[in-house]
Amino acid sequence: MAVLHTKAVTVILSVTVLLGLLYLSQHYSLKYNQPSIVHGRADVVTVTPWLAPVVWEGTFNPFLLDSIYKRKNVTIAITVFAVGKYIMFLKDFLQTSEEHFFVGFRVDFYVFTDRPNEVPKVNMAAGRMLMVRSVPSSNRWQEISARRMEIIQNLIEEKLQNRANYIFCLDVDSKFHGRWGAESLGGLVAVIHPGYYRDDRSKFPYERRPASNAYVAPGEGDFYYCGGAFGGLVQEVHLLAKTCRKNFEDDAKRGIEAAWQEESHLNRYMWINKPSKVLSPEYLWQDFKPKNPEVHIIRFSGVIKNYANIRPN
Ligand code: UD2
């Protein structure tokens, strides 16, 4: 009896020590340089006037961020459209995402295409999945690009609400070149367009006709954001997609198509509903653009393409 009792005590003690070690390893094992509030990137702005962080290389600790979000066990959904000849970009997009995009996290890729048989086979790490959904083709590229909002809204309603925490919606004609990870997670996340971030806002290609729901008046607008990359919490992106879709369709009923389709509506939305995190142009560069000195790393970049060869119109 006494032997049994001693054994039980030993087991209980061992389990307690193990649990203690586990707790300590999760909470105290991460060692990193002391953060400073007086030294940091001085060549770029790292916070918006509404106090959202602007994410640049050198403003965050990737290991710390990964450890914070890994503990939360998050799932990230990605939407990517590869309609018509744009299917040719999918392989590189997927392959480079394995190397750089949320490595070590649970990621669900949703590919929308009219050519499901041409979706390439790409080896994916454990916890990463590819789902292919058929969408109709169109003879107007503007419609393919703009209808993404409707399809994203429907996907969230049908599938994502209880399955994913965050979603990013990305252009397919792009490749990953550097880390894109947990530092990008936030409620509503917008990416600053690489083409206009040094310009005065009067030069931004916002929709300028007051008759459009995407209208941004002179003297308004914070930044010019990309249509090719945005995201955030699933609920926040649902609201964005639903609103942009409705505004786009209301415009269409009145015979208006905004200057840059859903990108114009997205910019209007982000003016009214400020993003809680802004990603610098590191998160969507363009291969044809030489790197500016403040850009220390290009994480994701649009490939050079011949529009006449790949678009339906
Ligand atoms: C910009 C935006 C894009 C969109 C567009 C305006 C960036 C980097 N890009 O790029 O997101 O807002 O302006 O409408 O911000 N697609 C197909 N098949 C087609 C045409 C388009 O699958 O035939 C999809 C594909 O995922 C592509 C995306 O739509 O990446 C955007 O089309 P784009 O790359 O031709 O648009 P672009 O370069 O004018």
Side-chain angles (χ1 to χ4, degrees), residues 81 83 86 145 148 171 173 227-228 261-262 305 307 311:
F81 289 73
V83 179
Y86 277 62
S145 179
R148 291 185 290 180
D171 270 9
D173 54 321
Q261 299 79 37
E262 85 301 341
K305 59 191 195 227
Y307 285 106
R311 278 177 168 169

Side-chain angles (χ1 to χ4, degrees), residues 109-170:
F109 291 88
Y110 293 88
V111 172
F112 294 91
T113 182
D114 56 340
R115 301 181 180 191
N117 298 334
E118 293 177 39
V119 171
K121 297 259 174 300
V122 170
N123 287 333
M124 298 190 127
R128 298 165 80 92
M129 276 170 62
L130 181 78
M131 280 150 284
V132 180
R133 296 193 154 208
S134 287
V135 287
S137 48
S138 167
N139 49 21
R140 285 190 74 237
W141 66 266
Q142 296 90 335
E143 189 179 306
I144 296 170
S145 179
R147 280 203 62 224
R148 291 185 290 180
M149 288 295 184
E150 173 193 341
I151 295 169
I152 292 164
Q153 179 197 342
N154 292 342
L155 174 76
I156 295 175
E157 287 170 9
E158 286 164 24
K159 183 104 184 167
L160 298 192
Q161 261 147 357
N162 298 317
R163 191 183 158 96
N165 308 94
Y166 295 93
I167 177 170
F168 281 100
C169 309
L170 304 176

Side-chain angles (χ1 to χ4, degrees), residues 215-285:
Y215 175 60
V216 179
E220 293 184 348
D222 300 302
F223 307 109
Y224 192 74
Y225 301 110
C226 292
F230 59 90
L233 283 170
V234 164
Q235 307 85 284
E236 293 260 4
V237 175
H238 179 246
L239 195 58
L240 174 149
K242 192 173 161 182
T243 309
C244 290
R245 173 209 181 164
K246 184 173 183 318
N247 288 340
F248 182 85
E249 287 177 358
D250 286 352
D251 269 9
K253 281 182 203 144
R254 287 177 285 113
I256 301 172
E257 185 174 85
W260 286 102
Q261 299 79 37
E262 85 301 341
E263 185 172 85
S264 305
H265 288 277
L266 177 104
N267 270 280
R268 165 81 195 177
Y269 186 90
M270 296 288 184
W271 163 242
I272 307 292
N273 308 276
K274 307 293 190 207
S276 57
K277 188 169 274 186
V278 174
L279 305 183
S280 70
E282 296 165 2
Y283 288 81
L284 188 38
W285 198 251

Side-chain angles (χ1 to χ4, degrees), residues 67-101:
S67 88
I68 292 170
Y69 282 94
K70 285 233 171 97
R71 243 181 268 154
K72 293 180 195 282
N73 208 13
V74 292
T75 298
I76 299 120
I78 305 304
T79 62
V80 63
F81 289 73
V83 179
K85 291 186 185 162
Y86 277 62
I87 193 82
M88 71 168 74
F89 300 114
L90 188 56
K91 189 167 186 186
D92 281 352
F93 174 93
L94 292 172
Q95 255 167 2
T96 57
S97 76
E98 284 300 295
E99 290 159 43
H100 302 293
F101 187 74

